[in-house]
Amino acid sequence: MRKNAVIQAFLVAGLIASTPLAQAASNLVYCSEGSPAGFDPGLYTTGTDFDASAETVFNRLTQFERGGTAVTPGLAEKWDIADDGLSYTFHLRPGVKFHTTSYFKPSREFNADDVLFTFQRMLDKNHPFRKAYPTEFPYFTDMGMDANIAKLEKLDDKTVKFTLNTVDAAFIQNLAMSFASIQSAEYAEQLLKAGQAADINQKPVGTGPFVFKRYQKDSQIRFTGNKDYWNPDDVKIDNLIFAINTDASVRMQKLKAGECQVTVYPRPADLDSLKQEADLQMPEQAGFNVGYLAYNTEHKPFDKLEVRQALDMAVNKQAIIKAVYQGAGQLAVNGMPPTQWSYDETIKDAGYNPEKAKQLLQEAGVAEGTEVSLWAMPVQRPYNPNAKLMAEMLQADWAKVGIKAKIVSYEWGEYNKRAKAGEHDALLIGWTGDNGDPDNWLGVLYGCDAIGGNNYARWCDPEFDKRIKQAKAINDKEQRSVLYKEAQQILKREVPITPIAHSTVYQPMSKKVQDFKISPFGLVSFYGVSVGK
């Protein structure tokens, strides 16, 4: 107990010294699994980045309820939708303050100018701030929002209006997603004048429940509770520290030792021992996710359907699920989980058939011993607890049919950057749903607009794309389901990916942690969370 108290005191000493607190500080250390690439949510697509920025520093116009998929008011108190579904008017929450930090002191409250800056920067490639800090916004463009938002207007300081080109049935849900976090226009102007626009990604300023203090790559991120937060019930922690460690076994040992109170992604082999720890709790729920293998259809030999079919048949999924997920996963057949509405239950897997795979490769003219790169993620994610082991098993499976796979990995941020650029031949990746809508799977992961973003297969099928775009522009759920099921049939037929598993999500934490909610979207949020005695 004394040793743990000393460690805990050491971790938070810097924060306590710099932040005078009226009462005993409430401190929470979160053992996170990776370093964020930056703190501007619009630039990224991974949970590691969003947890350290969107879920702490920022808010959005609309937000998801904690632990659920329902949309609730955020920085917008309410909104009106036109009868034709093409315009949305948001009435902004009064009295919201941006963070005061060592590098920025706001002179006004949050207003419509901040909403305009946030979205105009994503919409306009010639926006002054974007020209000063050249960036891309993969989520925004993957979802086609850059093409669909026709106009954004400030009606007054507390009212903004979005006009769309076509109906987007998931627009309100999309605005609740991490990438749509609202930035301070005033802070951006200060950075622009100082010639330091890139600091928006390293020294974030938001309206969220926690204020950014400092970041040491691969070590820790420090935040303090926002005492001026517009919903004070959401801020029950004075000092929040992300202690970064990519090794799952080390994270679990730190949790057991009381060096952190919350962590993520336990190894399946550790589940039983964690459940037996008297001081720990481990809630679980079915994962709204899929782990899969993406084939780069722009690289030979993956440009041939027969090759993709062959390698899909060569994968022994059941063996992978047994070894990698160790009972905490179910076999994936489709490109999204069965709990997503519009899932097509009629779709069947080709099944494990190495002999048929060999035959298809021979017919496609692929020589035995052909070399390909197989990329394995360096971090654990909810959809893949051990990508290295999975890659090794895939390597062995493919060797049996004459394909020699070289396993490649990079640091997580570099992995994503290079993968989006299409450097890989085949790649292990996955997805946890972001908003409960089918387009968040079929459009974001496999649509033509998502090439260069989350479409790691770099696959563009006109018939598939036609259906998902038609479905997105219809509000009727039954009509949308018909189109999405047709799209799923095309996806399965063309094999740009091999779905492998849907995992169960476990959330290890101290019994002292109260009111933590598991996000169906795979995010880690400390809104409303407290640490008891």
Side-chain angles (χ1 to χ4, degrees), residues 1 26 53 76 79 134-135 174 216 243 272 297 303-304 309 359 362 373 387-388 398 402 405-406 492 498:
M1 287 295 290
S26 170
S53 57
W79 49 88
T135 45
N174 294 344
Q216 185 178 350
D272 286 341
T297 58
D303 56 333
K304 291 185 177 181
Q309 289 173 325
Q359 180 186 332
Q362 288 173 356
S373 66
K388 182 177 182 291
W398 287 356
K406 178 186 176 183
K492 193 65 177 178
T498 291

Side-chain angles (χ1 to χ4, degrees), residues 301 304-307 310 358-367:
K304 291 185 177 181
L305 173 60
E306 297 84 358
V307 173
K358 278 184 184 178
Q359 180 186 332
L360 284 171
L361 288 171
Q362 288 173 356
E363 291 172 359
V366 178

